[in-house]
Amino acid sequence: MRNSAVRFLCMASFFAAIALGCKDNKPETKETIAQEVDTIAKPDTIETVIVDTIPDNARDSLISAAPVPVTVDELFDDFLFLFTANKKLQYERVEFPLLVRDGDSESFIQMKDWKMEKFFSQQEFYTLILDDESQMELSKNTSIDSVVIETINLKAKSVKQHVFNKRNGKWMLTAINKNTMYQNQNKSFLSFYEQFASDSIFQIQSLNDPVNATIPDPEDDYAMMEGEFHPDQWDEFKPYILPDDTIYNVLYGQKYNISKKKIFVIRGLSNGLEIDMTFKQINGKWKLVKIVE
């Protein structure tokens, strides 16, 4: 989602349209609503107004009251935005009773027992695990009809998969699979990453010498600098976000192989953040060989 900023502005307009549509039905008792409408022509301030000044309950009510865009099912990312924000839509898009597979056992969740699923929408980023750079473009493919969101608890060594499929052109949550981290296709890398994210000494030991780096040019907002650094410079290049508890992985249909290369992506939600770290197995050990910010 390198176009997340553009997509966010579209959603910002969506919020604004909701607010304007509600003016005739409710008195304008919130100054923030007026501020939000007033900043439609100021893209640099939209994010602050929408996210920070409209209370969560008011925002959720506005979203739920608005008609669902007809294009919501084209890109999964757009559908997921509304799925995690619109309670009414979420209940409509879960295939109840929902099948839950836990090892060899199966059970079902009834509608009355369902709890609103937010995934990573309540934090400022999410993560992806890829085999190669070409898989970064899969999220833009409108022909995808199956997506899996993995919630990976590194400390508990567990993986919960939410399986989404298209049913008659509409995205539906069709099943939940629960497994251990060691049953996952990325088990070798996940086992490595768990220690890498939480152990500063192990991080330095897991750096190739040198590590290739592409970072923003501090003197030019639109330029990047390419170079390399050595393990003793890690503190200068270490990402300020390196999740060590729960991470997410979205499978847009990518097929994992027994690969000696993994790209770990930390991608922001409408904040421009993107950190791509490339790891390779060298002499049987995972090493960070490249970082792009």
Side-chain angles (χ1 to χ4, degrees):
M1 282 194 294
R2 285 188 182 275
N3 294 324
S4 60
V6 174
R7 188 174 297 117
F8 180 81
L9 290 176
C10 293
M11 290 302 178
S13 298
F14 172 65
F15 274 110
I18 297 171
L20 287 168
C22 293
K23 286 178 65 178
D24 294 334
N25 298 324
K26 296 182 179 180
E28 291 185 25
T29 58
K30 295 288 185 181
E31 181 181 353
T32 52
I33 297 297
Q35 291 175 338
E36 186 270 335
V37 174
D38 185 54
T39 56
I40 297 305
K42 304 173 185 176
D44 57 326
T45 61
I46 284 178
E47 179 176 352
T48 301
V49 172
I50 290 179
V51 175
D52 294 335
T53 66
I54 297 181
D56 288 345
N57 58 346
R59 183 185 65 228
D60 293 346
S61 297
L62 289 174
I63 296 174
S64 296
V68 176
V70 294
T71 58
V72 69
D73 292 296
E74 290 184 1
L75 286 176
F76 179 79
D77 288 348
D78 293 339
F79 160 75
L80 185 63
F81 173 88
L82 284 180
F83 183 84
T84 57
N86 186 325
K87 185 175 182 179
K88 179 176 182 292
L89 175 70
Q90 184 166 133
Y91 273 77
E92 291 174 349
R93 295 301 186 91
V94 178
E95 208 169 68
F96 293 114
L98 183 65
L99 173 63
V100 179
R101 304 183 186 93
D102 189 350
D104 295 329
S105 65
E106 292 186 355
S107 59
F108 293 89
I109 299 177
Q110 304 295 331
M111 181 183 291
K112 65 182 179 64
D113 299 317
W114 180 252
K115 296 181 180 179
M116 186 76 172
E117 178 60 69
K118 296 285 189 178
F119 295 116
F120 42 76
S121 63
Q122 294 181 306
Q123 62 184 35
E124 63 180 28
F125 66 92
Y126 70 103
T127 51
L128 293 172
I129 301 172
L130 309 171
D131 276 352
D132 57 64
E133 289 80 359
S134 67
Q135 294 180 346
M136 290 185 176
E137 301 301 315
L138 289 173
S139 65
K140 303 173 186 176
N141 187 346
T142 57
S143 67
I144 292 173
D145 59 9
S146 180
V147 173
V148 176
I149 298 179
E150 294 184 322
T151 304
I152 303 167
N153 188 316
L154 295 170
K155 298 187 184 301
K157 297 177 174 56
S158 63
V159 180
K160 180 187 287 188
Q161 296 180 324
H162 286 75
V163 182
F164 291 86
N165 291 289
K166 272 196 172 180
R167 300 280 200 250
N168 298 318
K170 293 184 177 181
W171 284 108
M172 299 287 295
L173 175 60
T174 59
I176 295 176
N177 300 324
K178 297 180 179 180
N179 291 298
T180 67
M181 202 165 74
Y182 303 111
Q183 295 171 293
N184 192 268
Q185 292 174 299
N186 291 311
K187 59 183 178 181
S188 172
F189 177 75
L190 289 173
S191 180
F192 157 78
Y193 178 79
E194 176 195 3
Q195 186 175 0
F196 181 84
S198 59
D199 187 334
S200 59
I201 295 176
F202 184 70
Q203 287 173 13
I204 295 175
Q205 295 172 344
S206 301
L207 302 180
N208 193 48
D209 192 6
V211 177
N212 293 324
T214 302
I215 62 175
D217 187 337
E219 298 182 357
D220 187 344
D221 292 339
Y222 300 98
M224 303 293 288
M225 298 172 57
E226 294 185 11
E228 57 186 32
F229 66 90
H230 302 280
D232 60 0
Q233 298 173 289
W234 176 235
D235 284 344
E236 301 173 34
F237 292 87
K238 178 180 177 180
Y240 80 93
I241 290 178
L242 201 59
D244 62 358
D245 186 359
T246 299
I247 62 175
Y248 295 88
N249 187 32
V250 185
L251 285 73
Y252 296 99
Q254 64 259 40
K255 304 297 183 183
Y256 292 113
N257 299 310
I258 300 176
S259 174
K260 293 185 178 182
K261 174 182 175 181
K262 295 292 178 185
I263 303 174
F264 186 74
V265 180
I266 302 173
R267 186 168 287 172
L269 298 177
S270 68
N271 57 16
L273 171 69
E274 171 119 356
I275 303 170
D276 304 339
M277 293 184 287
T278 301
F279 296 85
K280 289 185 178 180
Q281 277 194 342
I282 301 174
N283 297 323
K285 295 183 178 180
W286 287 103
K287 296 281 188 178
L288 176 65
V289 298
K290 180 180 179 181
I291 184 168
V292 178
E293 296 190 26

